[in-house]
Amino acid sequence: MLTRIDHIGIACFDLDRTVEFYRATYGFEVFHTEINEEQGVREAMLKINETPDGGASYLQLLEPVREDSTVAKWLAKNGEGVHHIAFGTADVDTDAADIRDKGVRVLYDEPRTGSMGSRITFLHPKDCHGVLTELVTARGREDSGDGGGH
């Protein structure tokens, strides 16, 4: 069962400049950074708040590190902005299967590794009213919010 908004992914051309905007404008601080080689992005997770279920909500800022990455292609077509929304779940495998059974295309046959060791998959935006949607299970604890995605 989906329990919360885990994060909103925002594609950007310059991660450091974008982080500084969110820090200076809203006071959000970086919780975690990493490079995801498989997906070709450098990312920063900015924690927005804690949630009553022991999780958290984040903004995930994504800068491509390769021109062939999905985020680089998306930026070339759309420019900077909201790239996807991610929902937290205690069990990405079960929820992805349930959603697939409802006729929504799940983009990965098996969940992949996302931010901070989380398990993730994506739902096709054409089946989700134009919104690329991610499902996230945090590493180590069921729906802890310490996951983050992409």
Side-chain angles (χ1 to χ4, degrees):
M1 176 174 78
L2 306 180
T3 59
R4 65 192 155 74
I5 295 174
D6 184 86
H7 67 272
I8 297 171
I10 299 173
C12 61
F13 292 111
D14 183 330
L15 184 67
D16 296 327
R17 195 177 100 227
T18 306
V19 163
E20 184 52 35
F21 168 80
Y22 282 97
R23 183 187 339 248
T25 305
Y26 306 115
F28 298 152
E29 295 295 331
V30 173
F31 179 76
H32 176 81
T33 61
E34 71 180 77
I35 294 176
N36 184 320
E37 294 291 345
E38 178 185 353
Q39 296 183 18
V41 295
R42 183 169 78 111
E43 68 175 73
M45 297 293 279
L46 287 68
K47 186 184 273 188
I48 306 306
N49 68 331
E50 302 287 333
T51 59
D53 66 354
S57 294
Y58 304 88
L59 284 180
Q60 179 188 45
L61 307 178
L62 301 161
E63 175 192 63
V65 296
R66 300 189 317 261
E67 289 185 24
D68 69 337
S69 74
T70 303
V71 172
K73 293 174 186 175
W74 189 91
L75 277 166
K77 181 179 177 183
N78 300 292
E80 293 185 309
V82 175
H83 180 261
H84 66 275
I85 186 168
F87 294 108
T89 172
D91 186 346
V92 68
D93 297 277
T94 297
D95 284 336
D98 290 347
I99 290 169
R100 181 181 285 121
D101 289 345
K102 295 174 182 170
V104 174
R105 287 174 282 181
V106 177
L107 298 183
Y108 303 152
D109 290 332
E110 295 292 326
R112 296 182 181 176
T113 302
S115 301
M116 299 181 274
S118 62
R119 297 186 73 239
I120 65 166
T121 195
F122 286 90
L123 310 178
H124 200 292
K126 288 184 179 178
D127 297 343
C128 299
H129 298 271
V131 178
L132 179 61
T133 304
E134 182 179 7
L135 306 179
V136 179
T137 296
R139 178 185 63 167
R141 296 189 329 202
E142 289 189 357
D143 198 29
S144 70
D146 295 335
H150 202 278

